Amino acid sequence: MKRRELLKKLLILIVSLVYLVSPLSASFRSLAITLPYSLVCQRKSVLADEAISLKIPGGMSTFKSDWYPIVMTFNDDKGMSQHLGEQVRFTVLYNFGSYDLFKARSTYYDRQSQYFSSFYGGYIVKSVGENVVFGFDKDGSANIDELAKLAEYDQLYLVLSSLGCPPDKLVFESTLASMEGDVEYAGIQGWTCVNSNIKTNSPEHAYLESHRAYIQYGRPRYIGDIEEDFPLINLRGRAYARYFEEHKATVVLFVMAPSWTTIDECDQTILSKTSISQ
């Protein structure tokens, strides 16, 4: 009897070890590491400090394999302040394409996926200076150039640089496609909706050495599988921006993807379901 129990435990151990080193466990490993770190960041975020309730649904809300299961949190007050040239508190909530279980990496890398190089989430920016409203001019109109700097910093320095893209190759160019003011969104009036065309780097590159971002997205393909590292691509972007006077903070809900079809889908099924306190 004891021998059977021992063999049973040994079999479970072997199966567990095989699973942990197999492609099927890549998404589990990603979640096991990123979720605790995200929770730590959440406790130190602008949201926590200012008692702002902002909840964006994750991939599990759609019941299909589209986006990563959870929306994660990251803070970078220092980096964003240096990028903007002014002191701010900065928190980003973000999500990306779900894992291809057999390739052991996110569809974020996959040019054939509609979620290729795609993100959605939210930026929360609170200026440290008195009477400074980030992203909006004195007349209340949206400052497009200032708002675009959020996506620029996120894409170039929080994402692409963490994947190993060389500094001299980083590109982010955003041009306005359309803008509409005083939009009702997520059950709240007063948002400005901005649609943009974006030229930036693809996340595609050959695996040469480990980078911290691989913990989240998985490893890219190997040498010989692609013609060029981080080539330029065209993306579409949509953002809803609003200044919340009661919190003295600007909130931007965003989605970036290769096509307007993917953006519309994410907008309607996920991003618009965001709940935020007033």
Side-chain angles (χ1 to χ4, degrees):
M1 193 71 177
K2 290 183 178 179
R3 186 177 179 182
R4 282 186 180 179
E5 288 296 319
L6 182 61
L7 288 173
K8 183 179 179 181
K9 291 179 180 178
L10 182 60
L11 181 60
I12 292 173
L13 178 60
I14 292 173
V15 171
S16 299
L17 289 174
V18 170
Y19 172 76
L20 287 175
V21 298
S22 74
L24 294 174
S25 68
S27 60
F28 173 78
R29 292 196 300 268
S30 174
L31 277 169
I33 297 173
T34 58
L35 178 56
Y37 182 70
S38 176
L39 291 174
V40 171
C41 289
Q42 187 176 340
R43 296 191 187 101
K44 299 178 180 180
S45 67
V46 182
L47 298 173
D49 291 348
E50 302 299 328
I52 303 173
S53 176
L54 175 61
K55 298 179 181 179
I56 304 174
M60 290 189 293
S61 66
T62 62
F63 301 103
K64 67 176 184 177
S65 182
D66 48 8
W67 300 95
Y68 198 68
I70 61 172
V71 172
M72 288 155 292
T73 304
F74 183 72
N75 306 308
D76 192 0
D77 299 349
K78 182 178 180 181
M80 184 58 80
S81 294
Q82 290 177 343
H83 184 67
L84 296 175
E86 62 176 288
Q87 287 296 111
V88 297
R89 297 288 315 284
F90 173 71
T91 293
V92 55
L93 307 181
Y94 67 99
N95 203 346
F96 51 89
S98 65
Y99 264 64
D100 183 318
L101 296 181
F102 295 99
K103 293 181 180 178
R105 57 177 174 262
S106 167
T107 52
Y108 169 67
Y109 291 120
D110 186 359
R111 188 178 284 264
Q112 304 307 315
S113 170
Q114 71 178 95
Y115 306 104
F116 168 61
S117 196
S118 300
F119 284 99
Y120 77 83
Y123 301 126
I124 304 90
V125 186
K126 183 178 175 67
S127 295
V128 175
E130 291 291 330
N131 301 317
V132 178
V133 177
F134 177 83
F136 291 88
D137 295 327
K138 292 182 179 180
D139 62 359
S141 60
N143 186 320
I144 303 302
D145 292 337
E146 199 166 54
L147 291 171
K149 289 181 180 180
L150 298 179
E152 178 185 54
Y153 180 77
D154 187 8
Q155 175 73 350
L156 297 185
Y157 303 109
L158 297 185
V159 180
L160 292 171
S161 292
S162 70
L163 289 169
C165 184
D168 60 351
K169 196 166 187 176
L170 293 170
V171 172
F172 186 89
E173 298 174 4
S174 176
T175 57
L176 180 65
S178 66
M179 182 173 66
E180 183 179 0
D182 198 23
V183 173
E184 182 178 348
Y185 195 70
I188 301 173
Q189 195 69 37
W191 298 85
T192 296
C193 178
V194 180
N195 288 314
S196 303
N197 295 308
I198 298 168
K199 178 188 287 187
T200 187
N201 304 90
S202 162
E204 299 166 296
H205 65 287
Y207 175 76
L208 294 175
E209 58 182 332
S210 293
H211 294 286
R212 67 179 187 274
Y214 295 169
I215 295 173
Q216 295 185 86
Y217 312 121
R219 289 183 178 180
R221 291 176 291 180
Y222 289 91
I223 296 174
D225 289 344
I226 59 175
E227 296 180 357
E228 180 187 358
D229 288 345
F230 305 105
L232 293 181
I233 55 173
N234 294 312
L235 300 174
R236 310 289 179 250
R238 177 172 298 160
Y240 295 89
R242 189 182 190 279
Y243 180 72
F244 286 79
E245 178 66 35
E246 60 271 36
H247 299 301
K248 305 296 182 186
T250 297
V251 174
V252 180
L253 302 176
F254 68 89
V255 54
M256 182 176 70
S259 72
W260 292 115
T261 299
T262 300
I263 285 180
D264 288 339
E265 179 189 81
C266 180
D267 190 342
Q268 294 167 15
T269 63
I270 295 182
L271 202 60
S272 62
K273 309 299 182 185
T274 297
S275 64
I276 182 170
S277 64
Q278 274 192 280

